């Protein structure tokens, strides 16, 4: 009898690390920290409009939005970055009301060049304002209809490599171009990515935490199949959304044994979700891991003032809101750790800048790639999503 069933087994760390190194030759996001940004910087210097409007959805917008909204409260940008990500007509009109459309530059991002939400929005905007090379930039793969349109109409196009998936594209032209247009330091973003990449592939500081966490999640996926991040800053809310897409679309797959994998991402914001989801974590079923994300220095020294009103809580007067936020995080972490049966870890971002948000995001990309290798799945496709697109296209053609 001949039986060729390819059984799933968890490989050694050394084997997984070798697979990740081999993967670098095929998967383009690994090389992004080492790219030359001069073409981007020279081009964005010619963009004069005050409103930078990104037309994109999913991986075409979530990463740039995560970085921008993390940096925005601590920076005074002369331009604003607006994201049109939906075909909800009420949201479209609401967003457009907030800007002078004649002082807007449109960055149209679609890897395939045929994303229905993005192209539909582009067509609509073209009825409101003349779109040309002076107020439009296009980002797409080299051979798409969108790139052809750009070339035929003298619109600047930045080509996205075919081997860079949308949810791994934040540090490509997809994220760097719009961020550079508003004044973010894209070189410092890449510095952060390089710090993590170099450390991981040289098996230094970042290697052990990433590979150990990946192994733990895979070895315990049957019990702890929900992975929550608890971010203690409102500026990380869009990062949370980016994490959910990266995690869910990459890891919700069939493995080589045709077994369905179930690592489910949950994204929480502290202290708001202390008053809701924390109850489920503490007293609910033990099926969740929790990662707390703190920011040590929010670059703000606003304090809780002394008050003559009889409001109580005098012990908090004089404390900065930054310190209060982190003390709330520490108290929540302590309460979770005291349960002794909830796996949790803590990531502390030192301050709010491009370097630190890039380190966080690139380390998560490496973590997801490593988990994918442990699970023996294709981390970079999304057949479940593509099937829905085919059904929609067929329905619209009827």
């Amino acid at each position: 009898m001949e039986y060729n069933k390819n059984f799933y087994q968890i490989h050694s760390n050394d084997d997984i690390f070798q697979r990740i190194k081999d993967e670098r030759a095929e998967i383009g996001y690994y090389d992004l920290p080492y790219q030359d940004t001069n073409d981007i910087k020279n081009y964005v210097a010619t963009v004069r409009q005050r409103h930078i409007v990104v037309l994109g959805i999913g991986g075409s917008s979530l990463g740039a939005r995560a970085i921008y909204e993390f940096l925005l409260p601590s920076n005074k940008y002369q331009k604003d970055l607006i994201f049109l990500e939906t075909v909800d007509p009420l949201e479209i009109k609401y967003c457009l009301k907030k800007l002078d459309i004649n002082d807007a530059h449109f960055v149209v991002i679609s890897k395939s060049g045929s994303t229905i939400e993005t192209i539909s929005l582009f067509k609509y905007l073209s009825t409101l304002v003349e779109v040309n090379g002076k107020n439009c930039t296009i980002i797409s793969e080299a051979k798409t209809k969108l790139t052809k349109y750009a070339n035929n109409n003298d619109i600047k196009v930045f080509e996205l490599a075919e081997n860079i998936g949308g949810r791994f594209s934040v540090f490509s032209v997809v994220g760097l171009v719009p961020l550079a247009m508003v004044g973010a330091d894209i070189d410092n973003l890449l510095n952060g990515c390089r710090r993590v990449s170099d450390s991981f592939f040289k098996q230094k500081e970042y290697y052990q935490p990433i590979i150990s966490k990946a192994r733990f999640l895979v070895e315990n996926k049957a019990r702890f199949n929900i992975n929550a991040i608890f971010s203690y800053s409102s500026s990380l809310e869009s990062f949370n959304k980016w994490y959910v897409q990266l995690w869910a679309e990459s890891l919700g797959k069939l493995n080589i044994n045709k077994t369905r994998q179930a690592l489910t991402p949950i994204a929480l914001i502290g202290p708001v979700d202390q008053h809701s989801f924390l109850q489920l974590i503490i007293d609910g079923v033990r099926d969740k891991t929790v990662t707390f994300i703190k920011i040590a220095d929010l670059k703000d020294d606003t304090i809780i003032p002394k008050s003559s009103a009889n409001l109580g809580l005098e012990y908090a007067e004089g404390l900065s809101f930054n310190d209060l936020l982190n003390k709330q995080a520490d108290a929540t972490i302590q309460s979770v750790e005291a349960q002794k049966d909830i796996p949790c870890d803590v990531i502390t971002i030192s301050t709010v800048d491009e370097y630190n948000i890039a380190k966080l995001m690139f380390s998560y990309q490496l973590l997801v790639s490593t988990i994918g290798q442990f699970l023996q799945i294709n981390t970079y496709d999304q057949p479940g999503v593509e099937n829905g697109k085919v059904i929609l296209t067929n329905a619209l053609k009827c």
Side-chain angles (χ1 to χ4, degrees), residues 83-143:
F83 296 87
L84 280 177
E85 304 169 299
T86 177
V87 291
D88 181 336
L90 298 179
E91 181 67 17
I92 293 168
K93 291 179 180 178
Y94 175 74
C95 286
L96 293 178
K97 280 182 182 178
K98 297 187 290 185
L99 59 89
D100 178 357
I101 198 168
N102 294 308
D103 193 17
H105 190 99
F106 305 101
V107 184
V108 185
I109 307 174
S110 172
K111 177 177 170 63
S112 67
S114 58
T115 308
I116 190 168
E117 297 90 348
T118 303
I119 302 305
S120 298
L121 282 166
F122 190 31
K123 289 180 177 181
Y124 174 66
L125 286 171
S126 297
T127 68
L128 304 179
V129 65
E130 180 185 353
V131 176
N132 53 47
K134 295 181 180 179
N135 67 352
C136 183
T137 304
I138 285 175
I139 300 172
S140 187
E141 289 185 357
K143 298 179 181 180

Side-chain angles (χ1 to χ4, degrees), residues 67-79 182-185 298-299 352-354 357:
I67 293 170
Y68 177 66
E69 294 187 0
F70 176 76
L71 298 172
L72 185 59
S74 301
N75 288 274
K76 294 181 180 179
Y77 295 120
Q78 300 302 309
K79 301 181 180 184
V182 298
D185 186 345
L298 286 168
K299 296 183 177 179
V352 179
D353 61 15
E354 290 88 347
I357 188 63

Side-chain angles (χ1 to χ4, degrees), residues 232-297:
Y232 269 79
S233 173
S234 297
S235 66
L236 287 167
E237 191 161 3
S238 287
F239 164 80
N240 282 9
K241 294 179 181 179
W242 173 84
Y243 150 79
V244 167
Q245 189 211 14
L246 177 71
W247 200 268
E249 201 170 29
S250 298
L251 302 178
K253 304 286 174 63
L254 296 174
N255 69 3
I256 59 169
N257 205 29
K258 303 302 181 185
T259 301
R260 298 184 186 279
Q261 302 305 301
L263 289 170
T264 302
I266 299 291
L268 310 169
I269 289 290
V272 175
D273 290 319
Q274 286 177 201
H275 300 274
S276 56
F277 205 90
L278 181 59
Q279 175 63 39
L280 181 62
I281 292 173
I282 296 293
D283 286 338
V285 176
R286 295 303 194 247
D287 56 358
K288 291 168 282 292
T289 65
V290 186
T291 295
F292 293 93
I293 302 177
K294 299 168 50 181
I295 305 174
D297 180 10

Side-chain angles (χ1 to χ4, degrees), residues 5 26 29 60 97 144 149 191 232 274 293 339 367:
K5 184 76 169 178
E26 301 177 4
Y29 92 86
S60 295
K97 280 182 182 178
T144 67
Y149 169 86
N191 285 342
Y232 269 79
Q274 286 177 201
I293 302 177
Q339 303 302 307
L367 175 62

Side-chain angles (χ1 to χ4, degrees), residues 213 216-217 220 223-230 268 277-292 331-346:
K213 184 171 183 174
F216 176 87
L217 292 174
N220 295 277
R223 181 180 179 188
F224 302 109
N225 64 338
I226 297 174
N227 311 122
I229 60 170
F230 218 135
L268 310 169
F277 205 90
L278 181 59
Q279 175 63 39
L280 181 62
I281 292 173
I282 296 293
D283 286 338
V285 176
R286 295 303 194 247
D287 56 358
K288 291 168 282 292
T289 65
V290 186
T291 295
F292 293 93
T332 304
I333 293 165
Q334 185 175 337
S335 71
V336 171
E337 289 177 337
Q339 303 302 307
K340 299 187 183 303
D341 59 356
I342 302 174
C344 65
D345 60 339
V346 181

